[in-house]
Amino acid sequence: MKLVWNKVFNNYWSPYVAMGLAGVLSALYFGLTSTVWAVTGEFTRLGGHILEFFGVDISGWAYFNLIKMNGTTFTRTDGWIVWGMFIGALITILLSNSFKIRIPKQKRRYVQGFIGGVIAGFGARLALGCNLAAFFTGVPQFSLHSWIFIVATALGTYLGAKVVSTTWWKGKPILRKGSGKPASPSRKSARIQPLIGALVALAYAGLILYFFLTGRTMLGIAAIFGAAFGILIERGQICFTSAFRDLWISGRATMTKAIALGMAVSSVATLFIILYYGLEPITKIAAPSTFVGGVLFGVGIVMAAGCETGMMYRLMEGQVVFLPVFAGNILGATALAYAWDHMGIYNLLVKSGSPINLIPVMGPAGALLVTLLLLGIGFAVAVYWQKNYRFGTGFKKERGL
């Protein structure tokens, strides 16, 4: 029993396993709800509710009408996907005795995280999705906009890596006296955190049961899947920022390969569900906004040191710096909602585009084949990159050249 506990809670999981399971679960969630695993759409709605609280009339804002403001964050499935992710991550963090308030040594990190969050939130909503709806769950929906977003995000993270590597961004290092050894958790903490985690899990299970007993089945399903996604991203330490940023900085590609594998698994499972149940794949507009939004998103997540998923579980770990990142995400997404029609963003960058799905264009088999081929190429490039790229020197030179 202790061995199983250690494997599940005291050791992080393989990102390949975590992403593979996330791919299967995201396909199942689509089959049950006809919606996808996503977070920044709900961040935008939260921004809208905050504006309404302060008396702002948003009924005429085109973007809020597009994403629909029905109900509250606690009566929407998208809301419980988000809160479920927070809670699921928190449960496993507590059960593994990993929660600890962490304050950055450099106060500038709060400002940098906030600015990065604003840019990432703005870019994500401009592209109509973040690292989930426009990436991990967008590709298995065979929406062309996802591939544009991936290329743009790669470019954005490269630019972001250049920014954060500069001296003016890093600031002066702060040296503090210390033993050089990591602090061990106290015996009291080792007992209390798992107990609190178990109580939180029990209370959350009771909430899910309440949803089902009161006929709010979709909320119950969303709460279950939200928690499952939260557990997977925390145990697998899944962060789309590192999947790109690490390529440019250290050459490490483990997360890149894991995400590609997860999308391949999800693509197969999602296509089966689409064909078996006759569902319409969710297709977003492919337009200049997709590329511009992807670049901004990539820059922002590197500046913030975490994407939306990474930010969520790190915040639950007690990393205080991700509070301004979260706030920045909401502000940036809300700013885009205003700029959409009030500042002409839609007419300038979105109106010329159209939703394109690979299934009608290529047929189901062709769409799946092309998707798996592109993911396979991405995986192979990541393998080559990790093998040959070295920090500070770039690619290894071939002998004899």
Side-chain angles (χ1 to χ4, degrees):
M1 185 66 181
K2 186 176 181 180
L3 180 61
V4 174
W5 181 274
N6 286 335
K7 282 191 174 182
V8 174
F9 296 111
N10 292 341
N11 297 315
Y12 288 120
W13 302 352
S14 163
Y16 297 102
V17 173
M19 284 279 77
L21 289 173
V24 173
L25 288 180
S26 65
L28 290 175
Y29 183 69
F30 170 66
L32 291 170
T33 66
S34 298
T35 59
V36 294
W37 176 24
V39 295
T40 54
E42 191 61 21
F43 288 178
T44 315
R45 296 185 191 98
L46 285 173
H49 290 315
I50 292 172
L51 291 176
E52 289 177 323
F53 178 80
F54 286 102
V56 179
D57 182 9
I58 62 170
S59 60
W61 293 27
Y63 199 88
F64 284 126
N65 292 329
L66 174 67
I67 65 174
K68 298 183 176 28
M69 293 291 292
N70 300 334
T72 71
T73 189
F74 299 114
T75 61
R76 290 189 292 262
T77 54
D78 282 358
W80 280 106
I81 279 290
V82 170
W83 302 121
M85 288 174 68
F86 277 121
I87 294 170
L90 178 61
I91 289 171
T92 53
I93 288 165
L94 290 171
L95 290 176
S96 62
N97 195 41
S98 301
F99 178 82
K100 180 183 178 182
I101 297 296
R102 299 170 176 88
I103 298 175
K105 294 179 180 179
Q106 294 178 307
K107 302 307 178 187
R108 65 168 55 203
R109 283 291 298 117
Y110 291 113
V111 178
Q112 292 170 343
F114 179 75
I115 294 172
V118 171
I119 296 173
F122 189 95
R125 295 323 303 165
L126 177 59
L128 297 175
C130 61
N131 50 290
L132 294 177
F135 195 148
F136 188 78
T137 57
V139 168
Q141 292 292 325
F142 304 98
S143 181
L144 177 63
H145 90 289
S146 295
W147 291 105
I148 299 173
F149 184 82
I150 289 173
V151 172
T153 299
L155 175 59
T157 53
Y158 176 78
L159 297 175
K162 291 295 184 182
V163 171
V164 301
S165 64
T166 58
T167 303
W168 66 267
W169 179 270
K170 293 178 180 179
K172 295 181 180 179
I174 298 176
L175 300 178
R176 294 182 180 178
K177 291 183 179 180
S179 63
K181 297 179 181 179
S184 302
S186 65
R187 291 184 178 181
K188 184 178 180 181
S189 172
R191 293 194 302 268
I192 291 178
Q193 285 197 27
L195 177 60
I196 295 175
L199 291 175
V200 172
L202 186 62
Y204 193 64
L207 176 65
I208 292 171
L209 181 61
Y210 169 76
F211 283 148
F212 282 106
L213 291 177
T214 55
R216 286 174 277 190
T217 305
M218 286 296 124
L219 293 185
I221 291 173
I224 291 172
F225 277 83
F229 290 135
I231 291 169
L232 288 174
I233 63 172
E234 192 281 323
R235 287 289 84 193
Q237 293 289 284
I238 303 302
C239 183
F240 287 72
T241 304
S242 66
F244 285 108
R245 181 195 58 205
D246 291 355
L247 291 175
W248 313 131
I249 296 177
S250 66
R252 187 171 182 268
T254 301
M255 195 61 64
T256 313
K257 294 184 290 182
I259 290 171
L261 175 65
M263 287 192 291
V265 171
S266 187
S267 296
V268 174
T270 300
L271 182 62
F272 174 80
I273 287 171
I274 288 172
L275 296 178
Y276 188 82
Y277 292 101
L279 298 178
E280 285 292 325
I282 296 175
T283 311
K284 300 293 179 65
I285 295 173
S289 57
T290 312
F291 185 82
V292 175
V295 171
L296 290 174
F297 177 75
V299 171
I301 60 176
V302 174
M303 292 174 66
C307 61
E308 278 68 12
T309 52
M311 173 271 296
M312 293 172 82
Y313 71 77
R314 286 169 180 151
L315 184 55
M316 292 297 96
E317 289 174 344
Q319 298 191 45
V320 181
V321 72
F322 287 99
L323 273 174
V325 175
F326 185 30
N329 265 277
I330 294 175
L331 179 59
T334 308
L336 183 277
Y338 177 82
W340 187 261
D341 49 353
H342 293 81
M343 298 178 67
I345 290 290
Y346 174 78
N347 288 332
L348 180 65
L349 297 173
V350 186
K351 191 175 181 179
S352 61
S354 60
I356 301 174
N357 193 279
L358 300 183
I359 294 177
V361 174
M362 303 177 177
L368 181 61
L369 181 61
V370 168
T371 298
L372 294 180
L373 179 61
L374 290 174
L375 290 173
I377 292 173
F379 190 95
V381 169
V383 171
Y384 176 83
W385 194 286
Q386 182 166 282
K387 183 178 180 181
N388 294 280
Y389 186 89
R390 293 295 178 269
F391 175 72
T393 60
F395 283 98
K396 294 188 297 184
K397 294 181 179 180
E398 297 292 338
R399 292 182 178 179
L401 295 179

